Every structure is written in C-alpha cells, then in structure tokens.
Amino acid sequence: MLNTANLLILLPLIPLLGAIGCFCLYRQKALAVYLAETLMLVALALGTIVTWDYSRQSPALAAAERGKDQSFTAIDITMGRLAERGPVVSLTLAIDGLNTWLVFLTLVVGTTVVASGSGWTGDKAGPAMGLILLAISLTILAFMSMDMLVFYVFFELTLVPVFLLIGLWGGPDRVLASQRMFLHTLAGGLCTLLGLLTVAGATGSFAWDSLNAHRPGASESAIDPSLIFLLLMAGFIVKTPLVPFHTWQAIAYREAPTPITVFLSAVMAKLGLYGMLRLGVYVLPGEMESVGAPVLGGMAVASIVVGALCAFGARDLKTLLAYSSLSHLGYVVLGIVSLDQAGEQGAIFHMVAHGIVTTGLLLAAGFIEESEGTLERSRLRGLLAKYPVTSGLFVFFSLASVGVPGLSQFVGEFLCLFGFFRSGVASWLGIAAIAGVMSGLFLGAWYTMTLIQVSFSGESGAGSVPVPARPRQLAILGSIAVLVVWMGMAPGLVLETSRPEINKLETRLRSLSAADARHHAVLAGLDRAKPE
C-alpha cells in the first residue's frame, strides 16, 4: 500500500526545485514555461492523491479516539532552542483536518496560474515563473508547518516573491502597490511575532500540539492576555485583510498581473484566515470568545458591508473583484469567531470554495482583458455575445460567488452564518451586526447582477463575430467549474476532513469550561469561609 506520508515532502519540494530550474532558464521562455507547467501538474497529481487518501480516513480518525496522532507527518526534526531556556523549535511538516484542503487549494490555484499564460512576463519568463513557483512552495510550507515559529517564517517569506512579481511586472502604479502591500503586511507580521513569542514562552515550545494542549494562566505573563491575543492576530488581520487594515488590497490586486492577483486573493489571503483559526481558535479559545468575537467579528461585519459598497462603485473589474473578496472573506471570519462546530467547518469549507470561485472569476476576467485590452467597466459591453464561452463561465462563477444553492460558496456561507447566529455572537454584536450581514448579502447580489446586466448582456456591436475560447482557456475554466459544482453538490468529503480537529476543539472547550467552573467554585468557597 502506498505510504502517503512519503509523498507529502514532494508537495513543496517539486515547486521549489522548479523555481530553481526556471531561474536558471533566464531567457529561455518556452522551456521555462514548459518546466513550470509540467512540474505543477505532477505536484497537483500527487497532492490529489494525498488529499483523497487523508480525506477518506478522516471519518475513521474522528470516530476512533487516537489522541493527537491524527495527521500525516512528512518530516519532524528538532532544531534546538532559541536560547538556553528558550522555546524548542522544530521543523515539522504535516497535514491534518485544518490544512489538508488548503494545501490542495494552493496546488490547484498554482497550477492554473502557471498554465493560464505567460504573455505578461515579456522576455523574462524564467524569473517570473521561478518567483511564482517559489511563492507556491513557501505557501505550502507555511500551511504544513506544525511548529508555529517555522509557520511564521514561511508566512512572512511568501511576501518576497509576490513583492517582486508586482514590482517588476505590475501596472503603472506597481511600485506603490508592492511597497504598500509589503510594509502593511510586514508591520502586522511583527506584531504577530511578539504575540507568538509571548505565548510560546509559557509552554517552552512552538509546537502546535504543545500550544494547543496548554491552558494559559493569568500569572504566566505580565502582559494582559487580551493584548497578547490582539498582537497575535494583527498579522493575520492585515494579511486577510479586514477593515480598516485593507487599504493595501485594492491597489495591489489592480496593479498586479492577473495571475498574481489570482494567487493573492485565492491563496495568500487564506494564510491570514488559517492563522486566526489555528492560533486564535485552538491556542487561545478563551480570548477568541471574549476579545475575538467583538473585535474580529465587528471587523468582519464592517468588511462585508464596506467591501460590498466599494465593489458596487468600482470602475474596473479587478478592483470590483478585490472588494468582493474583502466582503466574502468577512463571512469566513464570522464562522471562525463563532467557536461553533458548524461555523468552524463552514469557515474551512468557505476558504477553499472562495479560493476556487475567485480563481475562476479572475482568470476569466484576465482572458477577457487579453482580447479587449481593458477591464474598465464603462468600456465593457455585450461580452456574452463577443465571448460566449469565457463570459458565460464568468457569469457562472459570479452566480457561485453570490451563493446560489447547489454551488460551492452557498455551503460555506450558510454554515458560517448558521454557526454565527447559533453561537450567540450575533446577539453580542447587536442588531447593527445582524443588519450588516443581511445588507452585505443583498449588496453582493445587487452589484453582481448589475455587472452582468450592464457589461455582459446586450448586443456586442455591429459587425462583431463571437470569439471562441481557446482550448487551454476552456480546459482551465471548465475544470474549475467542475470543482465548483462538485463542492456544492457533494460537500461531505471536504467537511468531514476537518471533523477530527473540530472534535479536538470541542474537547478543549469543554475542559476549559470545566476548569473555569472549578475555579469559580473554589473562589465561592473561599468567600463563604471568610469570617464575618
């Protein structure tokens, strides 16, 4: 029988080796592109095998109480301590219920980005493809890292290739866009590092299992736990991003080459959400309930509304999709802060679903831009008549984006909102939050239908002939559409994969509640024992 764990190390290694090869093929464009596409197809095939194998075993892992051994581990090397008495650092790469499908998402998006075309690279396809493959490898390493300091290192390193890709191959304002993205996310990441060092100092290890099993006490640090939590979440808030730390997003998405915008929105934004989930929910669940619900929940509601309003007023298609992403990821955060089983499973599912749908939308928009030469909404008319296949698939992905039942995003948004309302977080945030969520859903449908009506429907102009989609475009967009339908009609495999980790969370929350109850009982007993 195939040992899937042996394949895990190949998932980040293949893109990394491909990046080195592409850098060596500096001006040999055709060979560099061929190498990148071939290696990404191989990595995707191996990733599919790994994901399928782990996902099929997840229900059994959830039913059989196997303690902590519920992951496939590729490598586990202890690297030593930061100082003589500092926390232990280890290189542990593994997949579990939280990251399996995010690794698969990275491979799917990475493959489509590489295969979508290299016209934007000019005569420097080798370095461009090398940087894309490096970004893919670093992102996979970040998702798979079970040592949180190593996770942080890869989390920050993903900025470097994307910064260069935007700065060298972006639009007219590429320098400003790349600098703004880099500085914003770096500043947030430094805050996260401070919070991570504080949390790990109490446990003596950066290993996620150690952090997850630890119950922080008030006397372990001179810093208020709420402040530690906010520091820890800062980098993830900026990376996602959430309002009001979103000002770098629109210009970066607009100025980046379309394939890079795809990777930013579909994959790299998920690193922030993944950090909130793994470190916020599992390591500091008490603070997530007391601080995360009002603060992150409030930011999420603001992101839903502000993103929808800005998308409605956007002048070009890429800016519209950037703000649409800001709005939709707010629902994921609501699922995360709910600390509810349905909400957490919905958050994981919605991360994957949003990544797939956004990839289809942005790639379809990029294919239209190749023919039209622009994505300004005022100049786009009758696109369905001009490009019936490509535009038809864009409309399909748009319907998936607004949550049409039977398609992927409906499942994720429904579960996130169900967990949000069932957990009581909605009542804590007040009627304004509930109104914000409902208005976000309405506005999302409104700007989507307006876009379809104005830019896609109608006549294309006298004498215009429908342009068929190229086979490569049809293969890419068609494959993504199949995934959207499959996840919408049969979501069970993705949802069940996370069940072992959700069971862990429920056990941890129950133990914390029991410990708090015993603590309050002791305090009540001491109060009764005091002399009058």
Side-chain angles (χ1 to χ4, degrees):
M1 181 178 177
L2 179 66
N3 188 352
T4 308
N6 293 336
L7 300 179
L8 275 179
I9 191 61
L10 296 177
L11 302 186
L13 185 60
I14 290 174
L16 181 59
L17 294 176
I20 296 172
C22 288
F23 287 135
C24 295
L25 300 171
Y26 182 73
R27 291 194 179 276
Q28 300 183 49
K29 180 175 181 176
L31 189 56
V33 172
Y34 177 78
L35 176 66
E37 291 176 350
T38 302
L39 290 180
M40 281 309 303
L41 285 171
V42 172
L44 177 60
L46 296 177
T48 303
I49 294 171
V50 171
T51 303
W52 175 256
D53 193 26
Y54 183 84
S55 299
R56 285 191 305 109
Q57 295 187 39
S58 287
L61 289 172
E65 298 179 356
R66 299 187 182 183
K68 297 178 181 178
D69 188 18
Q70 295 180 339
S71 62
F72 288 174
T73 302
I75 187 171
D76 188 3
I77 302 173
T78 300
M79 302 169 67
R81 295 183 179 271
L82 285 182
E84 184 178 350
R85 297 184 179 181
V88 176
V89 182
S90 61
L91 178 61
T92 305
L93 301 179
I95 59 170
D96 61 9
L98 301 184
N99 64 5
T100 298
W101 283 96
L102 293 174
V103 171
F104 177 74
L105 171 69
T106 305
L107 291 168
V108 169
V109 175
T111 303
T112 58
V113 163
V114 169
S116 62
S118 58
W120 58 275
T121 64
D123 61 348
K124 297 179 180 178
M129 289 295 150
L131 288 171
I132 291 176
L133 293 179
L134 180 60
I136 293 168
S137 177
L138 292 171
T139 304
I140 294 173
L141 287 168
F143 280 131
M144 290 177 61
S145 295
M146 293 298 172
D147 183 286
M148 293 299 99
L149 183 62
V150 177
F151 161 76
Y152 171 81
V153 170
F154 289 127
F155 176 86
E156 290 294 282
L157 284 177
T158 56
L159 288 175
V160 177
V162 176
F163 169 79
L164 294 173
L165 285 164
I166 298 176
L168 295 175
W169 285 277
D173 293 327
R174 59 184 179 273
V175 175
L176 176 62
S178 59
Q179 289 178 347
R180 188 176 291 182
M181 181 203 72
F182 188 87
L183 293 175
H184 277 71
T185 50
L186 179 63
L190 291 175
C191 294
T192 294
L193 178 60
L194 292 176
L196 183 59
L197 290 172
T198 305
V199 173
T203 64
S205 174
F206 288 100
W208 182 67
D209 280 338
S210 299
L211 295 174
N212 184 33
H214 178 67
R215 184 177 186 273
S219 62
E220 291 177 348
S221 174
I223 306 175
D224 183 82
S226 298
L227 179 58
I228 295 174
F229 174 82
L230 292 175
L231 283 172
L232 197 58
M233 293 297 105
F236 307 139
I237 291 171
V238 177
K239 190 93 163 187
T240 301
L242 295 178
V243 171
F245 302 99
H246 68 294
T247 53
W248 64 269
Q249 184 195 36
I251 186 173
Y253 282 27
R254 184 179 68 246
E255 296 301 318
T258 299
I260 309 309
T261 305
V262 172
F263 194 75
L264 273 170
S265 179
V267 175
M268 286 189 65
K270 308 308 182 295
L271 276 173
L273 296 166
Y274 174 75
M276 292 182 198
L277 180 64
R278 191 173 282 281
L279 282 171
V281 171
Y282 282 83
V283 176
L284 296 172
E287 283 68 30
M288 178 60 80
E289 182 178 13
S290 61
V291 181
V295 176
L296 297 182
M299 288 182 179
V301 173
S303 299
I304 290 170
V305 177
V306 171
L309 288 172
C310 291
F312 190 82
R315 296 182 179 181
D316 67 274
L317 204 51
K318 282 177 74 174
T319 303
L320 182 149
L321 294 176
Y323 283 121
S324 173
S325 179
L326 174 68
S327 181
H328 285 291
L329 293 183
Y331 296 106
V332 179
V333 178
L334 292 182
I336 290 174
V337 302
S338 71
L339 294 178
D340 178 85
Q341 178 181 351
E344 303 300 337
Q345 284 189 297
I348 297 169
F349 187 95
H350 197 30
M351 280 190 257
V352 180
H354 174 269
I356 297 294
V357 171
T358 298
T359 299
L361 282 169
L362 283 166
L363 287 179
F367 295 150
I368 292 171
E369 185 181 20
E370 289 178 10
S371 300
E372 290 290 302
T374 183
L375 285 178
E376 292 183 19
R377 294 174 62 184
S378 60
R379 297 171 60 184
L380 298 177
R381 293 291 185 271
L383 293 177
L384 276 170
K386 287 183 185 178
Y387 317 103
V389 176
T390 304
S391 297
L393 285 168
F394 183 94
V395 171
F396 170 79
F397 295 129
S398 298
L399 296 176
S401 179
V402 298
V404 170
L407 303 180
S408 58
Q409 285 202 196
F410 171 78
V411 179
E413 288 188 2
F414 175 83
L415 289 174
C416 287
L417 291 177
F418 180 75
F420 173 67
F421 286 109
R422 185 170 70 172
S423 67
V425 176
S427 60
W428 299 344
L429 293 176
I431 189 66
I434 301 174
V437 171
M438 296 299 103
S439 62
L441 291 171
F442 173 76
L443 289 170
W446 189 6
Y447 69 69
T448 300
M449 294 302 105
T450 301
L451 172 66
I452 293 172
Q453 183 179 15
V454 174
S455 296
F456 286 82
S457 61
E459 299 295 328
S460 60
S464 63
V465 178
V467 179
R470 295 196 293 270
R472 178 180 292 247
Q473 296 176 349
L474 185 59
I476 292 172
L477 296 179
S479 300
I480 296 171
V482 170
L483 284 176
V484 170
V485 174
W486 172 69
M487 290 184 67
M489 299 301 293
L493 186 65
V494 181
L495 292 173
E496 287 300 317
T497 304
S498 62
R499 186 171 294 279
E501 306 308 320
I502 300 300
N503 290 346
K504 277 187 184 180
L505 177 61
E506 291 180 343
T507 302
R508 178 160 167 75
L509 291 175
R510 282 196 298 267
S511 66
L512 290 176
S513 298
D516 287 338
R518 289 194 298 270
H519 177 68
H520 290 308
V522 170
L523 291 179
L526 291 175
D527 288 336
R528 287 194 298 270
K530 288 181 180 179
E532 294 292 337

